[in-house]
Amino acid sequence: MTPDLFSPLDMRDTTAPNRVMVSPMCQYSCEDRDGLPTDWHRVHLGSRAVGGAGIVMSEATAVEPRGRISPEDTGIWSDEHVEAWQPVTAFIAKEGSIPAIQLAHAGRKASKRRPWEGSTPVQPDSGGWETIGPSGNAWPYDGEAPPHRRMDHDDIETVIESFRTGAERALEAGFEIAEIHAAHGYLLHEFLSPATNDRTDEYGGSFEDRTRFLREVVSAVRDVWPDEKPVFVRISATDWIDDGESWTVEQSVRLARGLYEAGVDLIDVSSGGIAPASYPDEAGPNYQVPHAERIGDGTPEDLLVGAVGKITTPEQADGIVANGRADLAIVGREHLRDPYFTIRAADQLDALDRVDVPPQYDRAF
């Protein structure tokens, strides 16, 4: 039978009850700038599990302190973080969803204020820190950027090890899926894109060398993540820069093939973020779905693909899956507007018998 939005999704020995995933969305809400999730995170993520989403993914969670986007971002770099995340994952799992974590490093886009505070840089004397990246070029802020430097080989090895230990701690914290964040202009994407990677060593230049860092991170995570549990990678399929010197969909297809060989189970397909204006002027519904479809068509059949970007209606999400454009509908902002999007979708698509509506909410349906 053709899968639809409410078909289970098998990933190794993990089965999501449906094809809806809560996209990782930063909350910028750690209270003491210590990276520890709070009651906000437990309620925010837990309510989406109550709402029926098959997979509930955390925000970009830094594998080391300098990998945070803002000082208020979550982390997974200490045992204290493990303990803080455990009640969150336990509640998500209790409600029948799969708890997932996005392991991240912000690279040169780190150390800035929260969006509602202007997203301006935070200097070290105000609680910020030195940022790192493949080149010596800081993020092009209008004002003064935080201190920034080009990563040397020791830095690269340190970050790879941080992803490894972050994955180990995520497993101990109760997460069932690990996603590696290699999109949106953050550190791993900065190495992938010729627009930001001007290195001349084995981590820059050719496609093989620019993708080496990500491949080594994937290998480190896959080494410690159990064989029966899936690993995802989020990529920006294109930089949206038409200059012949940026990351393209063709390179994304080639990368996805290599990631499949390295043990990745799903490519989470987003786009843009490598530069301040690197998004299309007019981004309508499903604007990134063609990228997901192209990657799916160009890679082995059992490599799963997720589509994200302005998916707002049940019919739209169901159509993406039922028409074979992607295996997973990844829903972001609509989940902010409606934590119960999946139950509502089941109601509208006459599929309520295929979701577990909490008995406390039965009277609404």
Side-chain angles (χ1 to χ4, degrees):
M1 295 180 64
T2 301
D4 61 19
L5 194 62
F6 294 98
S7 301
L9 182 61
D10 294 325
M11 303 163 289
R12 298 185 184 243
D13 291 348
T14 298
T15 300
N18 57 59
R19 306 295 183 100
V20 178
M21 185 179 101
V22 177
S23 187
M25 293 178 285
C26 291
Q27 299 297 294
Y28 308 101
S29 295
C30 295
E31 294 172 350
D32 297 317
R33 295 188 166 192
D34 53 12
L36 297 175
T38 66
D39 285 345
W40 176 271
H41 300 89
R42 186 178 182 183
V43 172
H44 165 69
L45 295 171
S47 63
R48 276 77 193 163
V50 171
I55 301 171
V56 176
M57 185 165 287
S58 77
E59 64 188 75
T61 302
V63 295
E64 62 171 20
R66 63 182 172 177
R68 293 169 293 167
I69 302 168
S70 81
E72 292 81 16
D73 284 7
T74 58
I76 190 69
W77 63 77
S78 76
D79 293 342
E80 193 176 6
H81 293 91
V82 172
E83 185 176 349
W85 276 114
Q86 284 172 338
V88 181
T89 62
F91 186 86
I92 292 169
K94 181 175 179 291
E95 294 304 313
S97 298
I98 306 297
I101 187 170
Q102 187 182 67
L103 302 171
H105 196 297
R108 70 176 190 156
K109 293 179 76 172
S111 192
K112 63 182 181 181
R113 292 180 175 82
R114 297 180 285 192
W116 56 87
E117 295 172 343
S119 295
T120 52
V122 183
Q123 301 298 334
D125 59 4
S126 298
W129 53 90
E130 178 185 64
T131 65
I132 55 174
S135 76
N137 299 320
W139 179 258
Y141 289 106
D142 290 336
E144 181 185 359
H148 176 81
R149 65 179 173 84
R150 176 186 182 274
M151 294 171 68
D152 60 25
H153 283 204
D154 287 343
D155 291 319
I156 289 171
E157 290 300 321
T158 296
V159 171
I160 292 170
E161 184 60 22
S162 294
F163 272 95
R164 183 195 306 274
T165 57
E168 289 177 322
R169 290 191 173 99
L171 184 66
E172 187 179 352
F175 290 102
E176 296 288 327
I177 297 169
E179 175 170 280
I180 297 163
H181 194 358
H184 300 163
Y186 298 119
L187 184 62
L188 295 175
H189 183 194
E190 292 164 21
F191 272 81
L192 294 176
S193 177
T196 46
N197 186 343
D198 61 5
R199 300 176 75 97
T200 57
D201 62 4
E202 66 268 38
Y203 290 98
S206 70
F207 174 87
E208 286 298 321
D209 288 344
R210 283 184 285 108
T211 61
R212 186 184 307 278
F213 188 25
L214 173 57
R215 289 185 284 111
E216 290 179 348
V217 167
V218 168
S219 177
V221 170
R222 190 72 268 183
D223 279 349
V224 299
W225 202 251
D227 287 343
E228 66 271 17
K229 296 182 186 296
V231 170
F232 295 2
V233 175
R234 172 167 275 194
I235 65 170
S236 282
T238 175
D239 284 344
W240 295 110
I241 301 173
D242 187 19
D243 62 359
E245 297 181 356
S246 60
W247 186 257
T248 64
V249 180
E250 290 77 14
Q251 292 178 80
S252 291
V253 173
R254 183 178 174 188
L255 173 66
R257 293 192 196 112
L259 295 178
Y260 170 75
E261 295 296 330
V264 169
D265 302 282
L266 182 142
I267 306 297
D268 175 349
V269 183
S270 190
S271 68
I274 202 67
S278 58
Y279 289 98
D281 292 333
E282 296 182 5
N286 285 1
Y287 76 104
Q288 294 176 151
V289 174
H291 302 326
E293 191 171 16
R294 188 167 176 184
I295 290 170
D297 289 344
T299 55
E301 186 175 354
D302 53 347
L303 176 64
L304 301 171
V305 175
V308 65
K310 294 201 172 182
I311 301 171
T312 60
T313 71
E315 295 79 8
Q316 186 184 1
D318 185 55
I320 290 168
V321 176
N323 292 322
R325 306 190 73 188
D327 301 286
L328 187 66
I330 302 172
V331 179
R333 287 175 175 82
E334 191 61 25
H335 268 123
L336 298 181
R337 290 184 281 267
D338 181 5
Y340 313 105
F341 170 81
T342 307
I343 294 177
R344 178 167 59 84
D347 193 17
Q348 292 186 16
L349 297 171
D350 294 324
L352 268 179
D353 59 328
R354 299 168 66 189
V355 296
D356 292 327
V357 179
Q360 298 94 326
Y361 290 0
D362 264 345
R363 75 193 78 173
F365 299 94

